[in-house]
Amino acid sequence: MESLDFEDATKEAVKARICLTGPSGSGKTYTALMLAFGLGENVAVIDTERRSVSKYVGRNGWRFKTMTPTKFSPLSLVDHLGKAAGHGCDVVIIDSWSHYWQGVDGMLEQVDRRTALGNSNNKFGSGWKEMGPEEQRMLDAILAYPGHVIVTLRVKTEYVVETNDRGKQQPRKLGLKPIQRDGFDYEFDFVGDMDLSNTLTVSKSRIEGVAAGAVYPKPGIELAKEIDVFLSEGEPLPTVADYRRLAAAAGSVEELKALFEEATSNQLAGAPMLDDNGRPTVLGDYLRAMATVVRNHQPVKAETAAAEAGVA
């Protein structure tokens, strides 16, 4: 049984988790870049939108790394984030995260596929049950990434006909429900809804001084700085690099187990990274692998060997 006790709460310095929603043309990608370069310098973009982000290279002096996946399984995003961490990217933009819900190999497609393979029409009994852990692993990687993360979400849209200031009827596009799992916003510090005038309305905020309902026409670096100042105040947590260094110095399985438990307590077991061979992994799996290496190279005590051989 897990042993826990109460302790005095302390404010911890954390990295931003930002979500921007809006219809096509609302400025999500440009705004994400503005915020990203207000938060850091080494920016990476996971571009699901057919290289659309590359149109902004050079604007405002921007230079950034990008990758353009064509399939969007949740576990593939964990690998992409591990590579970004390996490049030392202090900000990652996922543009858009909607593809990992409704794109090729995304959650919905994989649930249907696994339900069919399970010879069951009950998605909640097979497909969702199998995909739930993979989706959670993706979410853990986003939340534990060792830098700031900004995701954009497409929204379902519809048109309404309104009377303009000249008394004529004209259609207007409305953004409705974001394309992602219900309740996704619980995991983010800041959620902003963009409209076609490139205005951001805050729908959720944990940032002091940035209230829900606040409106930012064409938001930029100033908003990013306000978010960063608030989140960076507090006690710094150990980083993935810290755990990696401690793991390299560990001389026993017990030490590595203690590191794993501490990383889990700090909600960093799912942090994406590269292993010692440059392969994507997460911190918890890395520490387990290190423990296996140490165990395989530790001398076996005589009494243990005898017991395993059936002598004692």
Side-chain angles (χ1 to χ4, degrees):
M1 180 181 294
E2 187 177 30
S3 178
L4 295 173
D5 200 356
F6 288 100
E7 58 185 27
D8 291 336
T10 58
K11 189 176 186 301
E12 297 167 342
V14 297
K15 302 298 184 180
R17 298 294 180 262
I18 296 171
C19 178
L20 303 175
T21 78
S24 173
S26 59
K28 298 186 297 298
T29 302
Y30 183 82
T31 301
L33 286 166
M34 288 291 289
L35 295 178
F37 282 98
L39 291 168
E41 297 178 353
N42 191 356
V43 175
V45 183
I46 299 170
D47 178 7
T48 72
E49 303 283 356
R50 300 178 182 273
R51 303 182 186 275
S52 64
V53 74
S54 297
K55 297 179 177 66
Y56 296 106
V57 172
R59 187 168 317 179
N60 301 320
W62 291 338
R63 293 288 184 274
F64 49 86
K65 295 178 176 65
T66 183
M67 69 160 53
T68 54
T70 56
K71 295 185 178 181
F72 310 104
S73 71
L75 294 184
S76 72
L77 183 54
V78 179
D79 287 350
H80 301 336
L81 290 170
K83 292 174 183 177
H87 282 290
C89 298
D90 51 5
V91 188
V92 174
I93 298 170
I94 304 170
D95 183 37
S96 72
W97 192 33
S98 291
H99 286 73
Y100 293 91
W101 178 252
Q102 195 173 282
V104 177
D105 271 351
M107 275 293 295
L108 297 183
E109 185 173 298
Q110 291 214 42
V111 166
D112 287 343
R113 183 183 304 148
R114 297 194 190 196
T115 299
L117 290 173
N119 296 316
S120 170
N121 293 321
N122 182 2
K123 293 184 180 182
F124 292 96
S126 53
W128 283 110
K129 184 177 180 179
E130 288 186 28
M131 284 304 299
E134 295 187 17
E135 183 184 35
Q136 187 59 51
R137 191 173 173 93
M138 173 184 67
L139 185 58
D140 288 344
I142 291 172
L143 298 179
Y145 182 80
H148 306 284
V149 178
I150 302 170
V151 308
T152 70
L153 288 179
R154 293 179 171 188
V155 298
K156 296 178 180 178
T157 59
E158 69 176 24
Y159 287 85
V160 296
V161 177
E162 297 179 333
T163 303
N164 62 24
D165 54 6
R166 298 188 302 277
K168 294 186 177 181
Q169 298 287 299
Q170 67 177 25
R172 182 165 69 91
K173 183 162 63 172
L174 297 177
L176 300 173
K177 187 177 183 294
I179 299 175
Q180 188 46 256
R181 175 186 281 277
D182 289 343
F184 73 88
D185 50 330
Y186 285 102
E187 309 297 344
F188 289 84
D189 304 303
F190 179 95
V191 181
D193 303 326
M194 306 287 298
D195 64 21
L196 292 178
S197 67
N198 306 139
T199 296
L200 181 151
T201 301
V202 180
S203 59
K204 176 193 173 176
S205 174
R206 295 176 179 149
I207 313 303
E208 187 174 296
V210 181
V215 176
Y216 293 86
K218 294 181 170 58
I221 288 176
E222 297 78 11
L223 176 58
K225 295 296 186 186
E226 196 168 357
I227 292 171
D228 191 34
V229 166
F230 177 74
L231 292 178
S232 62
E233 293 174 348
E235 296 294 324
L237 288 171
T239 66
V240 172
D242 292 332
Y243 283 112
R244 187 173 200 147
R245 184 171 57 254
L246 292 169
S252 69
V253 173
E254 290 70 24
E255 289 179 77
L256 287 161
K257 181 180 178 182
L259 285 177
F260 177 85
E261 291 174 350
E262 181 184 317
T264 301
S265 176
N266 286 327
Q267 299 182 337
L268 287 176
M273 58 179 288
L274 296 181
D275 67 14
D276 296 337
N277 295 310
R279 295 176 300 222
T281 186
V282 296
L283 179 59
D285 289 351
Y286 177 79
L287 293 174
R288 289 192 190 97
M290 290 290 287
T292 299
V293 170
V294 170
R295 182 182 296 111
N296 290 341
H297 286 81
Q298 281 182 338
V300 180
K301 293 181 179 180
E303 61 269 24
T304 303
E308 291 178 349
V311 175

